[in-house]
Amino acid sequence: MSSTTTKITLADLRPDEGATRARKRVGRGRASGHGKTSTRGHNGQGQRSGYSFRFGFEGGQTPLFRRLPKIHNFDAVNTRKWIEVNVGALNILASGSEVNPEALVEAKLLRKVSDSLRILGNGELKVALKVRAHHVSAGAREKIEKAGGSVEIIGGEQA
């Protein structure tokens, strides 16, 4: 191989240092640290061969899943993942342009069009913009209007 290019093959792939651990070998003598009882302890159900227990077994105590009350018809709450953009990042846009999720994707400020765009007030805005977002903080609104721009909330109400 040349010194400028390196070709990675399957033989070169290895787990990270410390990511794998050697298998515990029990019953190999006292010096191994896992000899005599082979980490099973002295006497009792867990020490015997063929020992197995059912899921949730707590030694005869009422298991946790039976102690807790049943919760029926519990639906997971779908939360919105807000995508936040500070007003300082909007300076790369042309003056007078409209700022919306589609325009921010074109300007490479966002990766994809979002239904949860939040404009925050960190930074200074030097260009007048027409901002259309799902939420605009009070500080961001003040800075946008001070720079000569306008703010419109998509979806009607502030979230």
Side-chain angles (χ1 to χ4, degrees):
M1 282 193 252
S2 67
S3 61
T4 56
T5 59
T6 55
K7 186 175 179 184
I8 297 176
T9 62
L10 286 175
D12 298 328
L13 297 178
R14 283 183 176 42
D16 288 340
E17 191 68 36
T20 58
R21 185 178 282 193
R23 185 173 62 92
K24 184 198 292 189
R25 299 185 71 217
V26 297
R28 295 296 189 275
R30 287 171 31 179
S32 70
H34 301 303
K36 193 172 178 268
T37 57
S38 300
T39 73
R40 286 174 175 255
H42 294 277
N43 296 342
Q45 183 181 14
Q47 185 262 343
R48 309 293 182 195
S49 67
Y51 161 70
S52 65
F53 57 91
R54 70 178 177 276
F55 171 77
F57 185 68
E58 296 182 18
Q61 171 177 293
T62 305
L64 181 69
F65 72 89
R66 289 186 57 200
R67 278 180 276 156
L68 296 176
K70 295 175 184 172
I71 303 174
H72 294 290
N73 302 321
F74 181 81
D75 295 325
V77 178
N78 292 327
T79 57
R80 266 173 115 165
K81 298 270 193 265
W82 288 98
I83 297 189
E84 299 165 347
V85 176
N86 284 304
V87 290
L90 301 177
N91 285 318
I92 64 168
L93 300 169
S95 183
S97 63
E98 184 172 315
V99 177
N100 56 31
E102 294 82 13
L104 293 177
V105 170
E106 287 177 23
K108 296 195 175 17
L109 284 173
L110 298 181
R111 289 185 181 180
K112 62 182 182 179
V113 176
S114 169
D115 64 343
S116 302
L117 176 62
R118 182 176 286 232
I119 307 293
L120 301 179
N122 195 5
E124 289 300 318
L125 188 63
K126 298 177 178 72
V127 291
L129 300 169
K130 296 176 196 148
V131 177
R132 296 186 73 237
H134 300 91
H135 178 270
V136 178
S137 70
R141 180 184 291 269
E142 183 181 316
K143 289 179 182 181
I144 292 165
E145 290 171 353
K146 182 179 166 189
S150 62
V151 175
E152 181 186 339
I153 302 300
I154 304 171
E157 55 187 83
Q158 286 276 55

